[in-house]
Amino acid sequence: MMGQVGEPARRIEGWKSIAAYLGRDRSTAIRWARERGLPVHALPGGRARSVYALAHELDAWISGQEALPPDPALADPAPAIPAPAPPASPAIDPLALPRPAPPRRWPIVLGALALLGVSVAGIEWIGPSPDRLDAPTHARFVAARDDVAMRSAARLHAATATLTRLAHDHPGNVEVQEALAEAWVLTREFGSASDTLCIGRARAAAAAARAIDPRSAVADRVDGVIAYWWDGKPQRAGELFRRAIAHAPGDPLAHLWYANILADNGEDAAAQRAFDAARTLAPGAPWLLADYGWGLWSAGRTEQAQALLTTVATQYPTLASVHDALSVTALAEGDLAGYAHHLAIRAQVRGEPELIAYSAALRRTIDSDRRAGIGRATTYAVILSRAVSITQNDDLPDHSWPAFVAAVAGDRAALLAILDDARARGERWGSAGFVRRIRAHFAGDARIDAALRALAQPRIDTA
């Protein structure tokens, strides 16, 4: 429980430690986070973000459960807001499913985000689902879609709650299942919920949508995100995105999310084509421009990227993704104060208490080093130590982030140790922006170059 007022909250890092605190095994802790609202937070970095919990939040959650069941695999009560059940045959490969249904038409409706002052393409679904919504329920659905489009942590939380209830009450409505899948994927990026929660529920909702409509382009692009960022299967992700685009060429998110994975994998020309398609369909959308700015940075177009990201941050200061990008671009240039500044804004916007505390501590370290006149070695050591620590706790570790930090710090020995560890674990990286900067910092270093080549993923684009 919490101690005295103002006493720092006790943090419990990683699923194993969280499970031990609960007196259960790791799989049960993960399931409770997914199904019963166990309060678990995510840390940034890597393909799969690490998790932590605060002891006082776990204590409060436990007290609200009355008594924890002795056999959680059999005795879990239903969640407060039931999650949609996956289809009866979840093991079926979605790429192998037949396509008997005629394609739905996806005309673009502009102006969906007037509050943001931009024209954003929304999708009007033509061809009713067998499970129709009455007028009041449809109004709730539309409002939830607006919340998803706003991409704020609070509104995404509200949207997932509403859409989960609608999916439970209308399991045969494909539009609701698709919207729920999309909401959970975006919650991973713009909220602080754990990957296990977001990915598990997005995957289930996408499967439910595909069971209703085997041609669901939304299900394909959601599964494409999961295949790349979670499952580590870039070629499968490419197949899913290309099929989504073929079935819904007017869907800007299909093009954008495909562009993102191409950019991360260093396929710059293909990424630019996909970004151009998305920008044509949703001109001026801030979330799209933030992703495009990151794609430019990944491609080595640093000045252009910085100008675009700075403009977006100025116009849309509560957009978490642009501050996430700017924190990294600042660190790449050795701007530690800028790194801490944008990290703090991102943490506030997404409601990440651990990151708020870390960014404040980092600013104190930077100020202390400056006053002492001892350079920046201590600050870099803090950043690198944390990067390694959270990556080592990942279920699917990706050491590209700590490798990048070590390169920026000029620590060749630490970088080589990280690269060797990543290779020993069988990791494969995209992270083109990080890899590009690592190579630039150690140009001509044959050992580092060979290690990076060994960690590279296969290509995605087939053109």
Side-chain angles (χ1 to χ4, degrees), residues 178-238:
E178 290 172 331
L180 181 60
E182 181 178 304
W184 278 117
V185 165
L186 291 173
T187 296
R188 179 188 185 269
E189 181 178 357
F190 293 92
S192 61
S194 71
D195 280 353
T196 300
L197 175 68
C198 296
I199 297 300
R201 293 194 176 181
R203 200 192 297 267
R210 186 176 286 106
I212 302 166
D213 178 5
R215 296 180 67 92
S216 172
V218 175
D220 281 343
R221 63 169 159 82
V222 166
D223 280 341
V225 168
I226 294 171
Y228 187 84
W229 299 107
W230 181 258
D231 295 336
K233 297 179 178 178
Q235 292 174 316
R236 177 183 179 83

Coordinates of all heavy atoms in Angstrom, one line a residue, residues 178-238:
E178 N -14.6 -4.1 -36.3 CA -13.4 -3.4 -36.9 C -13.0 -2.2 -36.2 O -11.8 -2.0 -36.0 CB -13.8 -3.1 -38.4 CG -13.9 -4.3 -39.3 CD -14.5 -3.9 -40.7 OE1 -15.2 -3.0 -40.8 OE2 -14.1 -4.6 -41.6
A179 N -14.0 -1.4 -35.7 CA -13.7 -0.2 -35.0 C -13.0 -0.5 -33.7 O -12.1 0.2 -33.2 CB -15.0 0.6 -34.7
L180 N -13.4 -1.6 -33.0 CA -12.8 -2.0 -31.8 C -11.4 -2.5 -32.0 O -10.5 -2.1 -31.2 CB -13.6 -3.1 -31.2 CG -13.1 -3.7 -29.8 CD1 -13.1 -2.6 -28.7 CD2 -14.0 -4.9 -29.4
A181 N -11.1 -3.2 -33.1 CA -9.7 -3.7 -33.4 C -8.8 -2.5 -33.6 O -7.7 -2.4 -33.1 CB -9.8 -4.6 -34.6
E182 N -9.3 -1.5 -34.4 CA -8.5 -0.3 -34.7 C -8.3 0.5 -33.4 O -7.2 1.0 -33.2 CB -9.3 0.6 -35.7 CG -8.5 1.8 -36.1 CD -9.3 2.6 -37.1 OE1 -9.6 2.0 -38.2 OE2 -9.6 3.8 -36.9
A183 N -9.3 0.6 -32.5 CA -9.1 1.4 -31.3 C -8.1 0.8 -30.4 O -7.3 1.5 -29.8 CB -10.5 1.4 -30.5
W184 N -8.0 -0.5 -30.3 CA -7.0 -1.1 -29.5 C -5.6 -1.0 -30.0 O -4.6 -0.8 -29.3 CB -7.3 -2.6 -29.2 CG -8.3 -2.8 -28.1 CD1 -9.6 -3.4 -28.3 CD2 -8.2 -2.5 -26.8 NE1 -10.2 -3.4 -27.0 CE2 -9.4 -2.9 -26.1 CE3 -7.2 -1.9 -26.0 CZ2 -9.6 -2.7 -24.7 CZ3 -7.4 -1.7 -24.6 CH2 -8.6 -2.1 -24.0
V185 N -5.5 -1.0 -31.3 CA -4.1 -0.8 -32.0 C -3.7 0.6 -31.7 O -2.5 0.9 -31.3 CB -4.2 -1.1 -33.5 CG1 -3.0 -0.5 -34.2 CG2 -4.3 -2.6 -33.7
L186 N -4.6 1.6 -31.8 CA -4.2 3.0 -31.6 C -4.0 3.2 -30.1 O -3.1 4.1 -29.7 CB -5.3 3.9 -32.1 CG -5.4 4.0 -33.6 CD1 -6.6 4.8 -34.0 CD2 -4.1 4.5 -34.2
T187 N -4.6 2.5 -29.2 CA -4.4 2.7 -27.8 C -3.0 2.3 -27.4 O -2.3 2.9 -26.6 CB -5.4 1.8 -27.0 OG1 -6.7 2.3 -27.2 CG2 -5.1 1.9 -25.5
R188 N -2.4 1.3 -28.1 CA -1.0 0.9 -27.9 C -0.1 2.1 -28.2 O 0.9 2.3 -27.5 CB -0.7 -0.3 -28.8 CG 0.8 -0.7 -28.7 CD 1.2 -1.7 -29.7 NE 2.5 -2.2 -29.4 CZ 3.6 -1.7 -29.9 NH1 3.6 -0.7 -30.7 NH2 4.8 -2.2 -29.7
E189 N -0.4 2.9 -29.2 CA 0.5 4.0 -29.6 C 0.2 5.2 -28.8 O 1.2 6.0 -28.5 CB 0.3 4.3 -31.1 CG 1.2 5.4 -31.6 CD 1.1 5.6 -33.1 OE1 0.4 4.9 -33.8 OE2 1.8 6.6 -33.6
F190 N -1.0 5.5 -28.5 CA -1.4 6.8 -27.9 C -1.7 6.7 -26.4 O -2.0 7.8 -25.8 CB -2.5 7.5 -28.7 CG -2.1 7.9 -30.1 CD1 -2.3 7.0 -31.2 CD2 -1.5 9.1 -30.4 CE1 -1.9 7.4 -32.5 CE2 -1.1 9.5 -31.6 CZ -1.3 8.6 -32.7
G191 N -1.8 5.6 -25.9 CA -2.1 5.4 -24.5 C -1.0 4.7 -23.7 O 0.1 4.5 -24.3
S192 N -1.2 4.3 -22.5 CA -0.2 3.7 -21.7 C -0.5 2.3 -21.3 O 0.2 1.6 -20.5 CB 0.1 4.5 -20.4 OG -1.1 4.6 -19.6
A193 N -1.6 1.7 -21.9 CA -1.9 0.3 -21.6 C -0.9 -0.6 -22.2 O -0.2 -0.3 -23.1 CB -3.3 0.0 -22.3
S194 N -0.7 -1.8 -21.5 CA 0.3 -2.7 -21.9 C 0.1 -3.3 -23.3 O -1.0 -3.4 -23.8 CB 0.4 -3.9 -20.9 OG -0.7 -4.7 -21.0
D195 N 1.2 -3.7 -24.0 CA 1.1 -4.3 -25.2 C 0.2 -5.6 -25.2 O -0.5 -5.9 -26.1 CB 2.5 -4.7 -25.7 CG 3.2 -3.6 -26.4 OD1 2.6 -2.5 -26.5 OD2 4.4 -3.7 -26.7
T196 N 0.4 -6.4 -24.1 CA -0.4 -7.6 -24.0 C -1.8 -7.4 -24.0 O -2.6 -8.1 -24.7 CB 0.0 -8.3 -22.7 OG1 1.4 -8.6 -22.7 CG2 -0.7 -9.6 -22.5
L197 N -2.3 -6.3 -23.3 CA -3.7 -6.0 -23.3 C -4.1 -5.5 -24.7 O -5.1 -6.0 -25.3 CB -4.0 -4.9 -22.3 CG -5.4 -4.3 -22.2 CD1 -6.4 -5.4 -21.8 CD2 -5.5 -3.1 -21.4
C198 N -3.4 -4.5 -25.3 CA -3.8 -3.9 -26.5 C -3.8 -4.9 -27.7 O -4.7 -5.0 -28.5 CB -2.9 -2.7 -26.8 SG -3.1 -1.3 -25.7
I199 N -2.7 -5.6 -27.8 CA -2.5 -6.5 -28.9 C -3.5 -7.7 -28.8 O -4.1 -8.1 -29.8 CB -1.1 -7.0 -29.0 CG1 -0.1 -5.9 -29.2 CG2 -0.9 -8.1 -30.1 CD1 -0.3 -5.1 -30.5
G200 N -3.6 -8.3 -27.6 CA -4.6 -9.4 -27.4 C -6.0 -9.0 -27.8 O -6.7 -9.8 -28.6
R201 N -6.4 -7.8 -27.4 CA -7.8 -7.5 -27.7 C -8.0 -7.0 -29.2 O -9.0 -7.3 -29.8 CB -8.3 -6.4 -26.8 CG -8.4 -6.9 -25.4 CD -9.2 -6.0 -24.4 NE -9.3 -6.6 -23.1 CZ -10.0 -6.1 -22.1 NH1 -10.5 -4.9 -22.2 NH2 -10.1 -6.7 -21.0
A202 N -6.9 -6.4 -29.7 CA -7.0 -6.0 -31.2 C -7.0 -7.3 -32.0 O -7.8 -7.4 -33.0 CB -5.8 -5.2 -31.5
R203 N -6.2 -8.3 -31.7 CA -6.2 -9.5 -32.4 C -7.6 -10.2 -32.4 O -8.1 -10.7 -33.4 CB -5.1 -10.4 -31.9 CG -4.7 -11.5 -32.9 CD -3.8 -12.5 -32.2 NE -2.6 -12.0 -31.6 CZ -1.4 -12.0 -32.3 NH1 -1.3 -12.5 -33.5 NH2 -0.3 -11.6 -31.6
A204 N -8.2 -10.2 -31.2 CA -9.5 -10.9 -31.0 C -10.6 -10.2 -31.8 O -11.4 -10.8 -32.5 CB -9.9 -11.0 -29.6
A205 N -10.6 -8.9 -31.8 CA -11.6 -8.1 -32.5 C -11.4 -8.3 -34.0 O -12.4 -8.4 -34.8 CB -11.6 -6.7 -32.1
A206 N -10.2 -8.3 -34.5 CA -9.9 -8.4 -35.9 C -10.4 -9.8 -36.4 O -11.0 -10.0 -37.4 CB -8.4 -8.3 -36.2
A207 N -10.1 -10.8 -35.5 CA -10.6 -12.2 -35.9 C -12.1 -12.3 -35.9 O -12.7 -12.9 -36.8 CB -10.0 -13.2 -34.9
A208 N -12.8 -11.6 -35.0 CA -14.2 -11.5 -35.0 C -14.7 -10.8 -36.2 O -15.7 -11.3 -36.8 CB -14.7 -10.8 -33.7
A209 N -14.1 -9.7 -36.7 CA -14.5 -9.1 -37.9 C -14.3 -9.9 -39.1 O -15.2 -10.0 -40.0 CB -13.7 -7.8 -38.0
R210 N -13.2 -10.6 -39.2 CA -12.9 -11.5 -40.3 C -13.9 -12.7 -40.4 O -14.2 -13.2 -41.4 CB -11.5 -12.0 -40.3 CG -11.1 -12.8 -41.5 CD -9.6 -13.2 -41.5 NE -8.8 -12.0 -41.8 CZ -8.0 -11.4 -40.8 NH1 -8.1 -11.8 -39.6 NH2 -7.3 -10.4 -41.1
A211 N -14.3 -13.2 -39.2 CA -15.3 -14.3 -39.2 C -16.6 -13.8 -39.8 O -17.4 -14.6 -40.4 CB -15.5 -14.7 -37.8
I212 N -17.0 -12.5 -39.7 CA -18.2 -12.0 -40.3 C -18.0 -11.7 -41.8 O -18.8 -12.0 -42.6 CB -18.6 -10.7 -39.5 CG1 -18.9 -11.0 -38.1 CG2 -19.9 -10.1 -40.2 CD1 -19.0 -9.8 -37.2
D213 N -16.9 -11.0 -42.1 CA -16.5 -10.6 -43.4 C -15.1 -11.0 -43.7 O -14.2 -10.3 -43.3 CB -16.7 -9.1 -43.6 CG -16.4 -8.6 -45.0 OD1 -16.1 -9.5 -45.9 OD2 -16.4 -7.4 -45.2
P214 N -14.9 -12.1 -44.5 CA -13.5 -12.5 -44.8 C -12.7 -11.5 -45.6 O -11.5 -11.6 -45.6 CB -13.7 -13.8 -45.6 CG -15.1 -14.3 -45.2 CD -15.9 -13.1 -44.9
R215 N -13.4 -10.5 -46.2 CA -12.7 -9.5 -46.9 C -12.4 -8.2 -46.1 O -12.1 -7.2 -46.7 CB -13.5 -9.1 -48.2 CG -13.7 -10.2 -49.2 CD -14.5 -9.8 -50.3 NE -13.8 -8.8 -51.1 CZ -13.0 -9.1 -52.2 NH1 -12.9 -10.3 -52.6 NH2 -12.4 -8.1 -52.8
S216 N -12.5 -8.3 -44.8 CA -12.4 -7.1 -44.0 C -11.0 -6.5 -44.1 O -10.0 -7.1 -43.7 CB -12.6 -7.4 -42.5 OG -12.3 -6.3 -41.7
A217 N -10.9 -5.4 -44.7 CA -9.6 -4.7 -44.9 C -9.1 -4.2 -43.6 O -7.9 -4.1 -43.4 CB -9.7 -3.6 -45.9
V218 N -10.0 -3.8 -42.7 CA -9.5 -3.3 -41.4 C -8.9 -4.4 -40.6 O -7.8 -4.3 -40.0 CB -10.7 -2.7 -40.6 CG1 -10.3 -2.3 -39.2 CG2 -11.3 -1.5 -41.3
A219 N -9.5 -5.6 -40.6 CA -8.9 -6.8 -40.0 C -7.5 -7.1 -40.5 O -6.6 -7.4 -39.8 CB -9.8 -8.0 -40.1
D220 N -7.4 -7.0 -41.8 CA -6.1 -7.2 -42.5 C -5.0 -6.2 -42.0 O -3.9 -6.6 -41.7 CB -6.2 -7.2 -44.0 CG -6.8 -8.5 -44.5 OD1 -6.8 -9.5 -43.8 OD2 -7.2 -8.5 -45.7
R221 N -5.4 -4.9 -42.0 CA -4.4 -4.0 -41.6 C -4.1 -4.0 -40.1 O -2.9 -3.8 -39.7 CB -4.7 -2.6 -42.1 CG -5.9 -1.9 -41.5 CD -5.9 -0.4 -41.9 NE -7.2 0.2 -41.9 CZ -7.8 0.7 -40.8 NH1 -7.2 0.6 -39.7 NH2 -9.0 1.3 -40.9
V222 N -5.0 -4.3 -39.3 CA -4.8 -4.5 -37.9 C -3.8 -5.7 -37.7 O -2.9 -5.6 -36.9 CB -6.1 -4.7 -37.1 CG1 -5.8 -5.2 -35.7 CG2 -6.8 -3.3 -37.0
D223 N -4.1 -6.8 -38.3 CA -3.3 -8.0 -38.2 C -1.9 -7.7 -38.8 O -0.9 -8.3 -38.4 CB -3.9 -9.2 -38.9 CG -5.0 -9.8 -38.1 OD1 -5.0 -9.6 -36.8 OD2 -5.8 -10.6 -38.6
G224 N -1.8 -6.8 -39.8 CA -0.5 -6.4 -40.4 C 0.3 -5.7 -39.4 O 1.5 -5.9 -39.2
V225 N -0.3 -4.8 -38.6 CA 0.4 -4.1 -37.5 C 0.9 -5.1 -36.5 O 2.1 -5.1 -36.1 CB -0.5 -3.1 -36.8 CG1 0.1 -2.6 -35.5 CG2 -0.8 -1.9 -37.7
I226 N 0.1 -6.0 -36.1 CA 0.5 -7.0 -35.1 C 1.6 -7.9 -35.7 O 2.6 -8.3 -34.9 CB -0.7 -7.9 -34.7 CG1 -1.8 -7.0 -34.0 CG2 -0.3 -9.0 -33.8 CD1 -3.1 -7.6 -33.7
A227 N 1.5 -8.4 -36.9 CA 2.5 -9.2 -37.5 C 3.8 -8.6 -37.5 O 4.8 -9.3 -37.3 CB 2.1 -9.6 -38.9
Y228 N 3.9 -7.3 -37.8 CA 5.2 -6.6 -37.9 C 5.7 -6.2 -36.5 O 6.8 -6.6 -36.1 CB 5.1 -5.4 -38.7 CG 6.5 -4.7 -39.0 CD1 7.3 -5.2 -40.0 CD2 6.9 -3.7 -38.2 CE1 8.5 -4.7 -40.2 CE2 8.2 -3.1 -38.4 CZ 9.0 -3.6 -39.4 OH 10.3 -3.1 -39.6
W229 N 4.9 -5.5 -35.7 CA 5.5 -4.9 -34.5 C 5.4 -5.9 -33.3 O 6.2 -5.6 -32.3 CB 4.7 -3.6 -34.1 CG 4.8 -2.6 -35.2 CD1 3.8 -2.2 -36.1 CD2 5.9 -1.7 -35.5 NE1 4.2 -1.2 -36.9 CE2 5.5 -0.9 -36.5 CE3 7.2 -1.6 -34.9 CZ2 6.4 0.1 -37.1 CZ3 8.0 -0.7 -35.5 CH2 7.6 0.2 -36.5
W230 N 4.6 -6.9 -33.4 CA 4.5 -7.8 -32.2 C 5.1 -9.2 -32.5 O 5.9 -9.7 -31.8 CB 3.0 -7.9 -31.8 CG 2.8 -8.8 -30.6 CD1 2.3 -10.0 -30.6 CD2 3.1 -8.5 -29.2 NE1 2.2 -10.5 -29.4 CE2 2.7 -9.6 -28.5 CE3 3.6 -7.3 -28.6 CZ2 2.8 -9.6 -27.1 CZ3 3.7 -7.4 -27.2 CH2 3.3 -8.5 -26.5
D231 N 4.6 -9.7 -33.7 CA 5.1 -11.1 -34.0 C 6.4 -11.2 -34.7 O 7.0 -12.2 -34.8 CB 4.0 -11.8 -34.9 CG 2.7 -12.0 -34.3 OD1 2.6 -12.0 -33.0 OD2 1.7 -12.0 -35.0
G232 N 6.9 -10.0 -35.2 CA 8.2 -10.0 -35.8 C 8.2 -10.8 -37.2 O 9.2 -11.4 -37.5
K233 N 7.1 -10.6 -37.9 CA 7.0 -11.3 -39.2 C 6.8 -10.2 -40.3 O 5.6 -10.0 -40.8 CB 5.8 -12.3 -39.2 CG 6.0 -13.4 -38.2 CD 4.8 -14.3 -38.2 CE 5.1 -15.5 -37.2 NZ 3.9 -16.4 -37.1
P234 N 7.8 -9.6 -40.8 CA 7.7 -8.5 -41.7 C 7.1 -8.9 -43.0 O 6.3 -8.1 -43.6 CB 9.1 -7.9 -41.9 CG 10.0 -9.0 -41.4 CD 9.2 -9.8 -40.4
Q235 N 7.4 -10.0 -43.6 CA 6.9 -10.4 -44.9 C 5.4 -10.7 -44.8 O 4.6 -10.4 -45.7 CB 7.7 -11.6 -45.4 CG 9.1 -11.2 -45.8 CD 10.0 -12.4 -46.2 OE1 9.9 -13.4 -45.5 NE2 10.8 -12.2 -47.2
R236 N 5.0 -11.4 -43.7 CA 3.6 -11.7 -43.5 C 2.8 -10.3 -43.4 O 1.7 -10.2 -43.9 CB 3.4 -12.5 -42.3 CG 1.9 -12.8 -42.0 CD 1.8 -13.6 -40.7 NE 0.5 -13.9 -40.3 CZ -0.3 -14.9 -40.8 NH1 0.2 -15.7 -41.7 NH2 -1.5 -15.1 -40.4
A237 N 3.4 -9.4 -42.7 CA 2.8 -8.1 -42.5 C 2.6 -7.4 -43.9 O 1.5 -6.8 -44.1 CB 3.6 -7.2 -41.6
G238 N 3.6 -7.5 -44.7 CA 3.5 -6.9 -46.0 C 2.3 -7.5 -46.8 O 1.6 -6.8 -47.5

